């Protein structure tokens, strides 16, 4: 694809031989309904690339593990004569969040019309009545785009003991007891 945001291009960016814990696929439904066993809970990251706007909750479960959408990008092509378009002729909106209990999204927009770099700004999610989703995607995401790219990350709970020992090591403290 000319704008390089298709499934094949993204798969080539993250080959399984170099990134064994990253899976590039067309949708989360492909992961959920996988009968081959290729998409297992030992994956750390799932990247979806498709033309369908993501909806529903911005997370899913696989093998008892929770995967959260951390980045959602909507990419669209500028209108005009296709012979005059370059890879720079696109609009993009990126939503990102920290995850791990932080559900607020941050938003950054991109187009050729912006003369300066756009900072990410906190995205204020409207609270529509009757919204039964506990973890929705951003509401103002465009309804149709050239491609949507979503990055889902395994939600791992930190192990406090490991952080404590790392902190002790960083300040030069003894982490082991030696008996003589």
């Amino acid at each position: 694809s000319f704008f390089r945001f298709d499934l094949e291009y993204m798969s080539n960016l993250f080959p399984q031989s170099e990134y064994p814990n990253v899976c590039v696929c067309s949708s989360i439904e492909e992961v959920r309904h996988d009968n081959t066993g290729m998409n297992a809970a030992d994956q750390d990251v799932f990247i979806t690339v498709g033309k369908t706007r993501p909806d529903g909750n911005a997370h899913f479960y696989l093998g008892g593990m929770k995967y959260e959408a951390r980045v959602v990008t909507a990419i669209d092509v500028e209108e005009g004569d296709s012979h005059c378009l370059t890879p720079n002729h696109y609009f993009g909106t990126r939503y990102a969040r920290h995850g791990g209990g932080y559900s607020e999204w941050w938003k950054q927009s991109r187009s050729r019309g912006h003369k300066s770099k756009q900072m990410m700004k906190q995205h204020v999610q409207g609270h529509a009545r009757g919204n039964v989703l506990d973890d929705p995607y951003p509401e103002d995401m465009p309804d149709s785009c050239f491609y949507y790219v979503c990055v889902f990350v395994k939600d791992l709970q930190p192990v406090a003991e490991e952080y404590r020992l790392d902190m002790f090591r960083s300040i030069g403290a003894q982490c082991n007891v030696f008996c003589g």
Side-chain angles (χ1 to χ4, degrees), residues 87-112:
N88 196 33
H89 288 81
Y90 73 92
F91 300 104
T93 304
R94 177 175 52 180
Y95 301 89
R97 65 181 179 174
H98 298 287
Y102 297 97
S103 60
E104 293 82 18
W105 291 94
W106 292 79
K107 180 180 179 180
Q108 181 180 33
S109 298
R110 185 262 183 229
S111 72
R112 286 188 319 126

PDB file of all heavy atoms in Angstrom, residues 87-112:
ATOM      1  N   PRO A  87       3.490  10.295   0.405  1.00  0.00           N
ATOM      2  CA  PRO A  87       3.242   9.681   1.722  1.00  0.00           C
ATOM      3  C   PRO A  87       2.971  10.699   2.830  1.00  0.00           C
ATOM      4  O   PRO A  87       2.535  10.342   3.903  1.00  0.00           O
ATOM      5  CB  PRO A  87       4.526   8.900   1.995  1.00  0.00           C
ATOM      6  CG  PRO A  87       5.044   8.564   0.647  1.00  0.00           C
ATOM      7  CD  PRO A  87       4.709   9.771  -0.207  1.00  0.00           C
ATOM      8  N   ASN A  88       3.220  11.983   2.569  1.00  0.00           N
ATOM      9  CA  ASN A  88       2.984  13.029   3.559  1.00  0.00           C
ATOM     10  C   ASN A  88       1.546  13.551   3.533  1.00  0.00           C
ATOM     11  O   ASN A  88       1.169  14.348   4.369  1.00  0.00           O
ATOM     12  CB  ASN A  88       3.962  14.175   3.309  1.00  0.00           C
ATOM     13  CG  ASN A  88       4.073  15.108   4.484  1.00  0.00           C
ATOM     14  OD1 ASN A  88       3.968  14.695   5.628  1.00  0.00           O
ATOM     15  ND2 ASN A  88       4.269  16.383   4.208  1.00  0.00           N
ATOM     16  N   HIS A  89       0.750  13.093   2.585  1.00  0.00           N
ATOM     17  CA  HIS A  89      -0.618  13.581   2.425  1.00  0.00           C
ATOM     18  C   HIS A  89      -1.600  12.716   3.209  1.00  0.00           C
ATOM     19  O   HIS A  89      -2.398  11.978   2.645  1.00  0.00           O
ATOM     20  CB  HIS A  89      -1.015  13.606   0.944  1.00  0.00           C
ATOM     21  CG  HIS A  89      -0.345  14.686   0.169  1.00  0.00           C
ATOM     22  ND1 HIS A  89       0.936  14.574  -0.315  1.00  0.00           N
ATOM     23  CD2 HIS A  89      -0.790  15.902  -0.200  1.00  0.00           C
ATOM     24  CE1 HIS A  89       1.268  15.668  -0.963  1.00  0.00           C
ATOM     25  NE2 HIS A  89       0.224  16.494  -0.907  1.00  0.00           N
ATOM     26  N   TYR A  90      -1.549  12.798   4.510  1.00  0.00           N
ATOM     27  CA  TYR A  90      -2.493  12.040   5.330  1.00  0.00           C
ATOM     28  C   TYR A  90      -2.821  12.806   6.601  1.00  0.00           C
ATOM     29  O   TYR A  90      -2.101  13.711   7.006  1.00  0.00           O
ATOM     30  CB  TYR A  90      -1.952  10.652   5.676  1.00  0.00           C
ATOM     31  CG  TYR A  90      -0.851  10.637   6.698  1.00  0.00           C
ATOM     32  CD1 TYR A  90      -1.128  10.490   8.048  1.00  0.00           C
ATOM     33  CD2 TYR A  90       0.487  10.768   6.326  1.00  0.00           C
ATOM     34  CE1 TYR A  90      -0.120  10.477   8.996  1.00  0.00           C
ATOM     35  CE2 TYR A  90       1.494  10.757   7.267  1.00  0.00           C
ATOM     36  CZ  TYR A  90       1.189  10.618   8.589  1.00  0.00           C
ATOM     37  OH  TYR A  90       2.188  10.616   9.523  1.00  0.00           O
ATOM     38  N   PHE A  91      -3.940  12.446   7.196  1.00  0.00           N
ATOM     39  CA  PHE A  91      -4.357  12.947   8.495  1.00  0.00           C
ATOM     40  C   PHE A  91      -4.203  11.798   9.481  1.00  0.00           C
ATOM     41  O   PHE A  91      -4.432  10.644   9.127  1.00  0.00           O
ATOM     42  CB  PHE A  91      -5.842  13.351   8.498  1.00  0.00           C
ATOM     43  CG  PHE A  91      -6.184  14.431   7.524  1.00  0.00           C
ATOM     44  CD1 PHE A  91      -6.837  14.123   6.346  1.00  0.00           C
ATOM     45  CD2 PHE A  91      -5.874  15.750   7.788  1.00  0.00           C
ATOM     46  CE1 PHE A  91      -7.181  15.109   5.446  1.00  0.00           C
ATOM     47  CE2 PHE A  91      -6.211  16.746   6.889  1.00  0.00           C
ATOM     48  CZ  PHE A  91      -6.866  16.425   5.713  1.00  0.00           C
ATOM     49  N   GLY A  92      -3.856  12.106  10.678  1.00  0.00           N
ATOM     50  CA  GLY A  92      -3.761  11.055  11.683  1.00  0.00           C
ATOM     51  C   GLY A  92      -4.195  11.568  13.044  1.00  0.00           C
ATOM     52  O   GLY A  92      -3.934  12.720  13.392  1.00  0.00           O
ATOM     53  N   THR A  93      -4.882  10.730  13.761  1.00  0.00           N
ATOM     54  CA  THR A  93      -5.244  11.032  15.145  1.00  0.00           C
ATOM     55  C   THR A  93      -4.790   9.849  15.983  1.00  0.00           C
ATOM     56  O   THR A  93      -5.142   8.710  15.684  1.00  0.00           O
ATOM     57  CB  THR A  93      -6.760  11.237  15.299  1.00  0.00           C
ATOM     58  OG1 THR A  93      -7.186  12.259  14.406  1.00  0.00           O
ATOM     59  CG2 THR A  93      -7.103  11.636  16.722  1.00  0.00           C
ATOM     60  N   ARG A  94      -3.989  10.144  16.983  1.00  0.00           N
ATOM     61  CA  ARG A  94      -3.480   9.089  17.866  1.00  0.00           C
ATOM     62  C   ARG A  94      -4.015   9.327  19.268  1.00  0.00           C
ATOM     63  O   ARG A  94      -3.955  10.430  19.798  1.00  0.00           O
ATOM     64  CB  ARG A  94      -1.961   9.092  17.882  1.00  0.00           C
ATOM     65  CG  ARG A  94      -1.390   8.069  18.846  1.00  0.00           C
ATOM     66  CD  ARG A  94       0.098   7.979  18.799  1.00  0.00           C
ATOM     67  NE  ARG A  94       0.711   9.290  18.954  1.00  0.00           N
ATOM     68  CZ  ARG A  94       2.013   9.478  18.956  1.00  0.00           C
ATOM     69  NH1 ARG A  94       2.831   8.475  18.782  1.00  0.00           N
ATOM     70  NH2 ARG A  94       2.515  10.696  19.112  1.00  0.00           N
ATOM     71  N   TYR A  95      -4.532   8.262  19.830  1.00  0.00           N
ATOM     72  CA  TYR A  95      -4.983   8.261  21.220  1.00  0.00           C
ATOM     73  C   TYR A  95      -4.057   7.306  21.976  1.00  0.00           C
ATOM     74  O   TYR A  95      -3.745   6.225  21.482  1.00  0.00           O
ATOM     75  CB  TYR A  95      -6.416   7.761  21.339  1.00  0.00           C
ATOM     76  CG  TYR A  95      -7.407   8.589  20.557  1.00  0.00           C
ATOM     77  CD1 TYR A  95      -7.701   8.290  19.240  1.00  0.00           C
ATOM     78  CD2 TYR A  95      -8.044   9.671  21.144  1.00  0.00           C
ATOM     79  CE1 TYR A  95      -8.604   9.049  18.514  1.00  0.00           C
ATOM     80  CE2 TYR A  95      -8.953  10.436  20.436  1.00  0.00           C
ATOM     81  CZ  TYR A  95      -9.226  10.118  19.117  1.00  0.00           C
ATOM     82  OH  TYR A  95     -10.112  10.866  18.407  1.00  0.00           O
ATOM     83  N   ALA A  96      -3.636   7.710  23.160  1.00  0.00           N
ATOM     84  CA  ALA A  96      -2.753   6.861  23.966  1.00  0.00           C
ATOM     85  C   ALA A  96      -3.152   6.993  25.427  1.00  0.00           C
ATOM     86  O   ALA A  96      -3.737   7.994  25.843  1.00  0.00           O
ATOM     87  CB  ALA A  96      -1.299   7.273  23.767  1.00  0.00           C
ATOM     88  N   ARG A  97      -2.818   5.969  26.181  1.00  0.00           N
ATOM     89  CA  ARG A  97      -3.073   6.006  27.625  1.00  0.00           C
ATOM     90  C   ARG A  97      -2.041   5.137  28.324  1.00  0.00           C
ATOM     91  O   ARG A  97      -1.394   4.299  27.723  1.00  0.00           O
ATOM     92  CB  ARG A  97      -4.488   5.559  27.955  1.00  0.00           C
ATOM     93  CG  ARG A  97      -4.764   4.110  27.610  1.00  0.00           C
ATOM     94  CD  ARG A  97      -6.180   3.772  27.941  1.00  0.00           C
ATOM     95  NE  ARG A  97      -6.503   2.386  27.603  1.00  0.00           N
ATOM     96  CZ  ARG A  97      -7.625   1.814  27.898  1.00  0.00           C
ATOM     97  NH1 ARG A  97      -8.556   2.488  28.546  1.00  0.00           N
ATOM     98  NH2 ARG A  97      -7.857   0.579  27.566  1.00  0.00           N
ATOM     99  N   HIS A  98      -1.928   5.359  29.629  1.00  0.00           N
ATOM    100  CA  HIS A  98      -0.958   4.618  30.427  1.00  0.00           C
ATOM    101  C   HIS A  98      -1.406   3.191  30.694  1.00  0.00           C
ATOM    102  O   HIS A  98      -0.587   2.286  30.757  1.00  0.00           O
ATOM    103  CB  HIS A  98      -0.692   5.331  31.755  1.00  0.00           C
ATOM    104  CG  HIS A  98      -0.104   6.678  31.594  1.00  0.00           C
ATOM    105  ND1 HIS A  98       1.201   6.882  31.212  1.00  0.00           N
ATOM    106  CD2 HIS A  98      -0.646   7.916  31.730  1.00  0.00           C
ATOM    107  CE1 HIS A  98       1.452   8.166  31.129  1.00  0.00           C
ATOM    108  NE2 HIS A  98       0.346   8.822  31.441  1.00  0.00           N
ATOM    109  N   GLY A  99      -2.690   2.977  30.876  1.00  0.00           N
ATOM    110  CA  GLY A  99      -3.191   1.644  31.191  1.00  0.00           C
ATOM    111  C   GLY A  99      -2.939   1.290  32.641  1.00  0.00           C
ATOM    112  O   GLY A  99      -2.570   2.132  33.459  1.00  0.00           O
ATOM    113  N   GLY A 100      -3.144   0.029  32.956  1.00  0.00           N
ATOM    114  CA  GLY A 100      -2.912  -0.429  34.321  1.00  0.00           C
ATOM    115  C   GLY A 100      -3.778   0.298  35.338  1.00  0.00           C
ATOM    116  O   GLY A 100      -3.301   0.652  36.416  1.00  0.00           O
ATOM    117  N   GLY A 101      -5.032   0.555  35.004  1.00  0.00           N
ATOM    118  CA  GLY A 101      -5.926   1.253  35.916  1.00  0.00           C
ATOM    119  C   GLY A 101      -6.173   2.703  35.536  1.00  0.00           C
ATOM    120  O   GLY A 101      -7.077   3.332  36.066  1.00  0.00           O
ATOM    121  N   TYR A 102      -5.364   3.254  34.637  1.00  0.00           N
ATOM    122  CA  TYR A 102      -5.575   4.618  34.161  1.00  0.00           C
ATOM    123  C   TYR A 102      -6.338   4.537  32.848  1.00  0.00           C
ATOM    124  O   TYR A 102      -5.814   4.109  31.827  1.00  0.00           O
ATOM    125  CB  TYR A 102      -4.241   5.338  33.947  1.00  0.00           C
ATOM    126  CG  TYR A 102      -3.453   5.502  35.214  1.00  0.00           C
ATOM    127  CD1 TYR A 102      -2.440   4.600  35.543  1.00  0.00           C
ATOM    128  CD2 TYR A 102      -3.719   6.543  36.078  1.00  0.00           C
ATOM    129  CE1 TYR A 102      -1.719   4.742  36.716  1.00  0.00           C
ATOM    130  CE2 TYR A 102      -3.006   6.701  37.254  1.00  0.00           C
ATOM    131  CZ  TYR A 102      -2.007   5.793  37.562  1.00  0.00           C
ATOM    132  OH  TYR A 102      -1.304   5.935  38.721  1.00  0.00           O
ATOM    133  N   SER A 103      -7.586   4.958  32.857  1.00  0.00           N
ATOM    134  CA  SER A 103      -8.427   4.792  31.676  1.00  0.00           C
ATOM    135  C   SER A 103      -8.508   6.042  30.809  1.00  0.00           C
ATOM    136  O   SER A 103      -9.082   6.004  29.728  1.00  0.00           O
ATOM    137  CB  SER A 103      -9.830   4.370  32.102  1.00  0.00           C
ATOM    138  OG  SER A 103     -10.388   5.362  32.943  1.00  0.00           O
ATOM    139  N   GLU A 104      -7.946   7.174  31.255  1.00  0.00           N
ATOM    140  CA  GLU A 104      -8.030   8.408  30.485  1.00  0.00           C
ATOM    141  C   GLU A 104      -7.147   8.317  29.238  1.00  0.00           C
ATOM    142  O   GLU A 104      -6.029   7.832  29.283  1.00  0.00           O
ATOM    143  CB  GLU A 104      -7.602   9.621  31.326  1.00  0.00           C
ATOM    144  CG  GLU A 104      -8.535   9.941  32.467  1.00  0.00           C
ATOM    145  CD  GLU A 104      -8.282   9.080  33.685  1.00  0.00           C
ATOM    146  OE1 GLU A 104      -7.192   8.484  33.778  1.00  0.00           O
ATOM    147  OE2 GLU A 104      -9.174   8.984  34.536  1.00  0.00           O
ATOM    148  N   TRP A 105      -7.678   8.835  28.143  1.00  0.00           N
ATOM    149  CA  TRP A 105      -6.957   8.851  26.873  1.00  0.00           C
ATOM    150  C   TRP A 105      -6.313  10.219  26.661  1.00  0.00           C
ATOM    151  O   TRP A 105      -6.830  11.237  27.099  1.00  0.00           O
ATOM    152  CB  TRP A 105      -7.921   8.576  25.721  1.00  0.00           C
ATOM    153  CG  TRP A 105      -8.441   7.180  25.687  1.00  0.00           C
ATOM    154  CD1 TRP A 105      -9.612   6.731  26.230  1.00  0.00           C
ATOM    155  CD2 TRP A 105      -7.831   6.047  25.089  1.00  0.00           C
ATOM    156  NE1 TRP A 105      -9.759   5.391  26.002  1.00  0.00           N
ATOM    157  CE2 TRP A 105      -8.673   4.944  25.299  1.00  0.00           C
ATOM    158  CE3 TRP A 105      -6.643   5.844  24.387  1.00  0.00           C
ATOM    159  CZ2 TRP A 105      -8.383   3.670  24.836  1.00  0.00           C
ATOM    160  CZ3 TRP A 105      -6.352   4.578  23.924  1.00  0.00           C
ATOM    161  CH2 TRP A 105      -7.211   3.505  24.155  1.00  0.00           C
ATOM    162  N   TRP A 106      -5.185  10.224  25.973  1.00  0.00           N
ATOM    163  CA  TRP A 106      -4.517  11.439  25.526  1.00  0.00           C
ATOM    164  C   TRP A 106      -4.621  11.454  24.012  1.00  0.00           C
ATOM    165  O   TRP A 106      -4.623  10.402  23.378  1.00  0.00           O
ATOM    166  CB  TRP A 106      -3.058  11.436  25.981  1.00  0.00           C
ATOM    167  CG  TRP A 106      -2.950  11.560  27.479  1.00  0.00           C
ATOM    168  CD1 TRP A 106      -3.130  10.572  28.395  1.00  0.00           C
ATOM    169  CD2 TRP A 106      -2.687  12.738  28.215  1.00  0.00           C
ATOM    170  NE1 TRP A 106      -2.997  11.062  29.666  1.00  0.00           N
ATOM    171  CE2 TRP A 106      -2.706  12.398  29.578  1.00  0.00           C
ATOM    172  CE3 TRP A 106      -2.415  14.059  27.860  1.00  0.00           C
ATOM    173  CZ2 TRP A 106      -2.482  13.321  30.584  1.00  0.00           C
ATOM    174  CZ3 TRP A 106      -2.182  14.980  28.854  1.00  0.00           C
ATOM    175  CH2 TRP A 106      -2.219  14.610  30.205  1.00  0.00           C
ATOM    176  N   LYS A 107      -4.719  12.644  23.425  1.00  0.00           N
ATOM    177  CA  LYS A 107      -4.983  12.763  21.996  1.00  0.00           C
ATOM    178  C   LYS A 107      -3.938  13.642  21.314  1.00  0.00           C
ATOM    179  O   LYS A 107      -3.528  14.659  21.854  1.00  0.00           O
ATOM    180  CB  LYS A 107      -6.379  13.369  21.788  1.00  0.00           C
ATOM    181  CG  LYS A 107      -6.777  13.549  20.353  1.00  0.00           C
ATOM    182  CD  LYS A 107      -8.173  14.153  20.266  1.00  0.00           C
ATOM    183  CE  LYS A 107      -8.599  14.381  18.839  1.00  0.00           C
ATOM    184  NZ  LYS A 107      -9.945  14.973  18.766  1.00  0.00           N
ATOM    185  N   GLN A 108      -3.543  13.224  20.109  1.00  0.00           N
ATOM    186  CA  GLN A 108      -2.623  13.999  19.285  1.00  0.00           C
ATOM    187  C   GLN A 108      -3.101  13.908  17.844  1.00  0.00           C
ATOM    188  O   GLN A 108      -3.387  12.812  17.354  1.00  0.00           O
ATOM    189  CB  GLN A 108      -1.209  13.443  19.413  1.00  0.00           C
ATOM    190  CG  GLN A 108      -0.173  14.201  18.622  1.00  0.00           C
ATOM    191  CD  GLN A 108       1.204  13.585  18.805  1.00  0.00           C
ATOM    192  OE1 GLN A 108       1.345  12.386  18.974  1.00  0.00           O
ATOM    193  NE2 GLN A 108       2.216  14.416  18.763  1.00  0.00           N
ATOM    194  N   SER A 109      -3.214  15.051  17.179  1.00  0.00           N
ATOM    195  CA  SER A 109      -3.651  15.067  15.790  1.00  0.00           C
ATOM    196  C   SER A 109      -2.501  15.495  14.901  1.00  0.00           C
ATOM    197  O   SER A 109      -1.630  16.260  15.302  1.00  0.00           O
ATOM    198  CB  SER A 109      -4.814  16.052  15.605  1.00  0.00           C
ATOM    199  OG  SER A 109      -5.913  15.649  16.375  1.00  0.00           O
ATOM    200  N   ARG A 110      -2.548  15.014  13.649  1.00  0.00           N
ATOM    201  CA  ARG A 110      -1.499  15.320  12.688  1.00  0.00           C
ATOM    202  C   ARG A 110      -2.125  15.562  11.327  1.00  0.00           C
ATOM    203  O   ARG A 110      -2.993  14.824  10.878  1.00  0.00           O
ATOM    204  CB  ARG A 110      -0.536  14.144  12.600  1.00  0.00           C
ATOM    205  CG  ARG A 110       0.666  14.376  11.728  1.00  0.00           C
ATOM    206  CD  ARG A 110       0.455  13.773  10.343  1.00  0.00           C
ATOM    207  NE  ARG A 110       1.644  13.943   9.541  1.00  0.00           N
ATOM    208  CZ  ARG A 110       1.632  14.431   8.310  1.00  0.00           C
ATOM    209  NH1 ARG A 110       0.529  14.771   7.732  1.00  0.00           N
ATOM    210  NH2 ARG A 110       2.759  14.557   7.647  1.00  0.00           N
ATOM    211  N   SER A 111      -1.671  16.620  10.658  1.00  0.00           N
ATOM    212  CA  SER A 111      -2.014  16.862   9.259  1.00  0.00           C
ATOM    213  C   SER A 111      -0.940  17.766   8.682  1.00  0.00           C
ATOM    214  O   SER A 111      -0.144  18.350   9.416  1.00  0.00           O
ATOM    215  CB  SER A 111      -3.391  17.506   9.116  1.00  0.00           C
ATOM    216  OG  SER A 111      -3.355  18.852   9.537  1.00  0.00           O
ATOM    217  N   ARG A 112      -0.929  17.880   7.385  1.00  0.00           N
ATOM    218  CA  ARG A 112       0.076  18.751   6.764  1.00  0.00           C
ATOM    219  C   ARG A 112      -0.183  20.209   7.114  1.00  0.00           C
ATOM    220  O   ARG A 112       0.712  21.027   7.069  1.00  0.00           O
ATOM    221  CB  ARG A 112       0.071  18.568   5.250  1.00  0.00           C
ATOM    222  CG  ARG A 112       0.689  17.275   4.826  1.00  0.00           C
ATOM    223  CD  ARG A 112       0.860  17.163   3.320  1.00  0.00           C
ATOM    224  NE  ARG A 112      -0.267  17.675   2.565  1.00  0.00           N
ATOM    225  CZ  ARG A 112      -0.170  18.602   1.605  1.00  0.00           C
ATOM    226  NH1 ARG A 112       0.993  19.120   1.292  1.00  0.00           N
ATOM    227  NH2 ARG A 112      -1.241  19.009   0.960  1.00  0.00           N
TER     228      ARG A 112
END
